[in-house]
Amino acid sequence: MKQRSLKQRDYDWHPQALSPDYKSSILRSPTQPLLRVDGLASELDGPAFSPDVIGPLDHNLIQNYAAALGSNGEAIGPRIIVHGRVVDENNRAVPDTLVEVWQANAGGRYRHINEGYIAPLDENFGGCGRCMTDENGCYRFLTVQPGAYPFPNGPNTWRPAHIHFSVFGTAFAQRLITQMYFEGDPLIQHCAILNAIADPKAVQALIGRLDMETSVPMDCLAYRFDIVLRGEGSTPFENRMEGN
Amino acid sequence: MLKETPSQTAGPYVHIGCIPQYSGIDGIYPNDPGCALPADAQGTLIRLGGKIFDGNHDVVKDALVELWQRDGDGDKGIWLRQPTDLSNGFYQFDTVMPAAVLGAPHICLWIVARGINLGLHTRVYFPDEPKNEHDPVLTSAGKRRDTLISTRPDPEEDESDIGFPVYRFDIRLQGERETVFLNV
Ligand SMILES: [Fe+2]
């Protein structure tokens, strides 16, 4: 088995663990510095998934929930393609990696036991999807544009419309969960969760761009969201993983 | 050179996308990814479980925990995924005792939840394991190394039903006995 090193993570680029304006972070953020692990580590390896596990409608959030209930109903809301490419920091494609998404429906309501927002459920929308990247690292979902929703953080705090993404890469240390926002959304500047990121360029990296070229006439608009995972560092290791 | 995509919290509804059946969304996927030990995993069955506590000692009931480890032979990787239970906050993996690869036997965990802006890496080691003495991560953890070592809770009581060893690993996100989290 081949292992490698990863570039050191830039923790200043990510949202700060303690971001007091995002109330939930106050009691859930470690106060001690992270312990640096150098050299070979188990986390430099990770799971691989077979494309065989992906069903034909897994990427189609407009149809997959109703289809699972035996109906051909479709979710309500603006139809959109969300697509992009998963690469590493060295701009190398990350092929055959699992991408999972979840989101609120067009009214901003999640299908979840702890959800209490007054917007109605959509009987044809579950809000989860997944796909594998192709050989070029490309992924593609068909969904409805999620609505903004309020959350109990301050007296009147709202999340901009967003889609949650989970990406694997090839090493456990590359594991990433993030959120894609929508170009032009005026709520972006008011979001306490996004504002936990200090660098405006990092915020920009989370905004999906309207992509007219990929939109389908008389059918759906498209947004493009490229994802960058940690890249291989300059000192790769060879390791045979034969006990220690 | 590109910059890594910034992380964002998994939020309180991570179950919808990662373990949909657990959140009541049935039938889109045949089962929740990572819900069961692969049939070809070799080794001694163990149960690993515990709770996650916030800085106020309150139990975190909306987290997702992912596991990555070697199997008992050391040549197969095992990946699993479980929630902290939405009602009691307990997470639990039925897995195998990992082989000693790259240090003392250990299990890698990755924790995401509402309020956690960047997923947290930690490791679970095992009590009474002689190799712990020379493990590089335990050694560099210094005085806080015990936060990485699981415990055996009252074996007779806990194992009578399942017939294999139980290990307890609580995670403290903040404050007294804060768990060591890794920059790996
Ligand atoms: Fe959300």
Side-chain angles (χ1 to χ4, degrees):
Chain A
M1 176 169 309
K2 188 176 175 202
Q3 288 224 12
R4 59 202 181 157
S5 67
L6 287 175
K7 278 184 213 312
Q8 177 61 31
R9 194 166 233 168
D10 180 357
Y11 287 93
D12 292 333
W13 177 254
H14 287 280
Q16 293 308 294
L18 174 61
S19 309
D21 287 347
Y22 173 31
K23 297 281 185 288
S24 292
S25 77
I26 294 174
L27 289 169
R28 295 183 169 193
S29 44
T31 56
Q32 301 285 330
L34 302 179
L35 181 71
R36 175 80 187 265
V37 180
D38 285 316
L40 279 176
S42 308
E43 291 86 351
L44 296 177
D45 197 2
F49 298 89
S50 161
D52 302 345
V53 305
I54 306 293
L57 288 179
D58 284 7
H59 73 289
N60 182 341
L61 285 76
I62 291 180
Q63 295 180 334
N64 66 11
Y65 184 72
L69 298 172
S71 131
N72 57 7
E74 298 203 332
I76 292 171
R79 298 163 58 84
I80 55 171
I81 289 168
V82 175
H83 76 119
R85 205 170 159 233
V86 182
V87 298
D88 69 14
E89 290 168 293
N90 302 312
N91 206 16
R92 290 194 194 112
V94 182
D96 307 313
T97 201
L98 181 63
V99 181
E100 299 165 305
V101 294
W102 65 102
Q103 63 167 88
N105 69 23
R109 168 79 181 252
Y110 284 96
R111 186 175 285 280
H112 193 280
I113 188 172
N114 286 345
E115 162 73 290
Y117 185 33
I118 53 172
L121 285 169
D122 175 345
E123 64 174 358
N124 290 323
F125 189 72
C128 85
R130 64 180 177 179
C131 69
M132 305 275 288
T133 58
D134 68 14
E135 67 274 19
N136 300 312
C138 296
Y139 73 87
R140 183 185 182 97
F141 292 98
L142 182 62
T143 186
V144 293
Q145 183 147 4
Y149 60 85
F151 76 121
N153 185 63
N156 184 23
T157 43
W158 293 72
R159 298 301 327 282
H162 60 273
I163 298 176
H164 296 264
F165 275 73
S166 153
V167 193
F168 282 80
T170 56
F172 204 49
Q174 285 177 305
R175 196 74 183 80
L176 182 72
I177 280 181
T178 189
Q179 303 179 29
M180 181 202 102
Y181 302 88
F182 290 85
E183 179 180 0
D185 187 339
L187 286 171
I188 284 175
Q189 61 182 302
H190 299 290
C191 178
I193 290 177
L194 255 177
N195 287 339
I197 298 177
D199 189 330
K201 291 197 295 293
V203 172
Q204 289 300 311
L206 294 180
I207 300 177
R209 305 290 159 182
L210 180 66
D211 177 4
M212 290 305 291
E213 218 167 281
T214 304
S215 67
V216 180
M218 307 306 287
D219 182 339
C220 61
L221 286 171
Y223 285 84
R224 177 163 182 137
F225 178 53
D226 292 332
I227 296 170
V228 182
L229 301 180
R230 293 173 67 190
E232 207 162 321
S234 50
T235 52
F237 302 98
E238 279 290 336
N239 174 50
R240 311 237 175 273
M241 301 289 282
E242 286 166 355
N244 61 346
Chain B
M1 194 62 54
L2 301 173
K3 295 289 282 185
E4 186 187 9
T5 298
S7 170
Q8 292 273 269
T9 177
Y13 308 131
V14 59
H15 320 89
I16 295 172
C18 293
I19 42 173
Q21 289 190 16
Y22 181 76
S23 75
I25 297 173
D26 288 319
I28 298 182
Y29 310 152
N31 47 47
D32 284 339
C35 66
L37 187 65
D40 56 348
Q42 302 296 311
T44 311
L45 278 176
I46 60 169
R47 176 168 289 179
L48 172 70
K51 290 184 176 179
I52 303 177
F53 297 93
D54 71 10
N56 208 21
H57 311 294
D58 287 328
V59 178
V60 174
K61 296 178 180 175
D62 53 7
L64 184 79
V65 184
E66 290 188 358
L67 166 155
W68 170 248
Q69 63 167 92
R70 294 276 125 199
D71 75 358
D73 289 352
D75 39 42
K76 185 180 163 60
I78 296 171
W79 173 80
L80 297 170
R81 176 190 260 176
Q82 290 289 336
T84 58
D85 187 89
L86 283 163
S87 48
N88 65 28
F90 201 80
Y91 76 88
Q92 181 171 291
F93 293 100
D94 283 350
T95 183
V96 292
M97 178 62 81
V101 177
L102 296 174
H106 62 271
I107 289 174
C108 306
L109 296 184
W110 188 66
I111 299 133
V112 293
R114 168 176 66 85
I116 297 178
N117 285 327
L118 176 61
L120 296 167
H121 285 278
T122 188
R123 286 186 182 182
V124 184
Y125 288 84
F126 297 91
D128 308 320
E129 167 56 56
K131 291 197 169 77
N132 286 350
E133 187 93 17
H134 302 292
D135 182 88
V137 170
L138 284 178
T139 302
S140 55
K143 284 192 295 226
R144 299 173 61 215
R145 75 196 285 278
D146 285 353
T147 69
L148 299 177
I149 300 176
S150 56
T151 55
R152 294 289 309 275
D154 223 343
E156 279 183 29
E157 200 177 303
D158 283 304
E159 288 159 16
S160 50
D161 291 347
I162 58 169
F164 52 90
V166 172
Y167 292 88
R168 171 99 187 193
F169 187 72
D170 288 338
I171 295 162
R172 292 174 183 81
L173 297 176
Q174 190 184 89
E176 202 188 335
R177 286 188 294 146
E178 183 177 308
T179 300
V180 170
F181 297 106
L182 306 176
N183 168 4
V184 65

